[in-house]
Amino acid sequence: MKIAIASDHAAVDLKAELTDWLRAEGHEVNDLGPATADRVDYPDYGYKLAAVVAAGDADRGIALCGSGIGISIAVNRNPACRAALVSEPLSAALAREHNDANVLALGARLTGVDMARACITAFLSTEFGGGRHSGRVEKLSQPALQGASR
């Protein structure tokens, strides 16, 4: 699977560990930066990740910052992206199954590497359930459908 990954300075170490692990698992990983722990702004990397996922240059994205909150907000500014901030594997699986999330967000200061791996494994191995969820997911990228019931 093609995976794009990006972080801010607070998550550079976790990003490096996860990138190495994902590559060892056989995934093609595009590390969008940053390369060092020098201070950066998470929106810049969230927007960059969102653009890559939205363009179809990655099957899924992984967004990391200190809490995971800021970078997930940045990614979700792109209507083609559905970033889910999670802290455990069940939420990661449900984000895929029910919401067709295409970006997983994690907080490096809140989630250890083992839990991050468990969340990513659940995220990458779960398919979108479709069915009753499809119309709701469609509304996420088309705000004009707001309020229209299915």
Side-chain angles (χ1 to χ4, degrees), residues 37 45 48 50 55 65 68 71 85 87 92 94 99 101-102 104 106 114:
Y45 290 90
K48 189 175 185 180
C65 70
I71 201 163
L85 172 60
S87 59
L94 290 172
N99 310 113
N102 51 11
L104 185 71
L106 297 163
D114 291 336

Side-chain angles (χ1 to χ4, degrees), residues 24-99:
E25 293 289 308
H27 299 286
E28 182 182 324
V29 182
N30 182 3
D31 183 344
L32 301 173
T36 70
D38 295 341
R39 189 195 153 294
V40 297
D41 295 329
Y42 60 80
D44 298 336
Y45 290 90
Y47 296 150
K48 189 175 185 180
L49 177 64
V52 168
V53 172
D57 295 330
D59 300 311
R60 305 264 171 81
I62 298 173
L64 308 166
C65 70
S67 67
I69 298 168
I71 201 163
S72 67
I73 292 170
V75 170
N76 279 322
R77 298 284 185 205
N78 187 314
C81 292
R82 292 169 304 283
L85 172 60
V86 304
S87 59
E88 41 71 37
L90 178 58
S91 294
L94 290 172
R96 285 286 309 132
E97 183 181 350
H98 292 186
N99 310 113

Side-chain angles (χ1 to χ4, degrees), residues 97-100 128-139:
E97 183 181 350
H98 292 186
N99 310 113
D100 198 18
F128 176 50
R132 66 188 168 99
H133 305 292
S134 294
R136 297 170 186 149
V137 170
E138 186 178 337
K139 287 181 180 184

